[in-house]
Amino acid sequence: MRSSLLVSLAACGCLAALPAIAASVTLHRISPEGVGDAIGEVELADGDHGLLLTPSLEGLEPGVYGFHVHQNPSCEPAENAEGNVVAGLAAGGHYDPDESGEHAGPYGGGHLGDLPALGVDAEGRARVPLLAPRLSVEDLAGRSLMIHAGGDNYSDEPAPLGGGGARMACGVVPF
């Protein structure tokens, strides 16, 4: 999965800088009916500058998506306060151990669940590694990774939680 990254690092003599993979999270499509087919994996590794997430996902529509760490280790649907069944709602909200209540992005001072936006290329693949500088692999234990339809502006204005859309894919961190 990291072959293109490995080739680039080998060419520059930086191969020793590649952190060891600590875990791989399989992401699945989700809907109000439940957890569906796998769309690929995201490898997790601790690096000198934070958590490195290396996606190998396919079958997505091209574009930019909100990507977050959610509180609970579940991707199952659940009923919201209005009585509607929502895809992936059992994952809970964004990971916010300090109860900041703020949506300020992966480099801001808000909750820790904000990850860099996930980009999907014209062929429907997400392959570009992402860095979450305030997280480590250990922080993801007992959590889930979530992809939201639509982008993320890392603000609660003009819409809450970055204005992203519905929960569309999810994976439980395996430890």
Side-chain angles (χ1 to χ4, degrees), residues 3-15:
S3 60
S4 62
L5 181 60
L6 288 171
V7 169
S8 297
L9 287 171
C12 79
C14 305
L15 196 54

Side-chain angles (χ1 to χ4, degrees), residues 2 19-23 43-47 50-54 137:
R2 299 186 333 172
I21 299 168
E43 293 175 343
L44 308 175
D46 286 323
L51 176 67
L52 180 66
L53 299 103
T54 305
V137 170

Side-chain angles (χ1 to χ4, degrees), residues 64-100:
V64 177
Y65 295 89
F67 193 34
H68 303 101
V69 178
H70 279 249
Q71 188 65 36
N72 303 321
S74 177
C75 294
E76 295 296 327
E79 194 172 294
N80 66 13
E82 292 80 33
N84 301 314
V85 177
V86 176
L89 193 60
H94 295 175
Y95 177 51
D96 189 10
D98 297 328
E99 299 180 8
S100 72

Side-chain angles (χ1 to χ4, degrees), residues 10 17 21 26 30 35-36 38 51 76 79 95 100 108 131 140-141 143 148 150 158 160-162:
I21 299 168
T26 301
I30 57 173
V35 178
L51 176 67
E76 295 296 327
E79 194 172 294
Y95 177 51
S100 72
L131 182 65
L140 274 63
R143 314 267 174 249
H148 291 263
L161 300 175

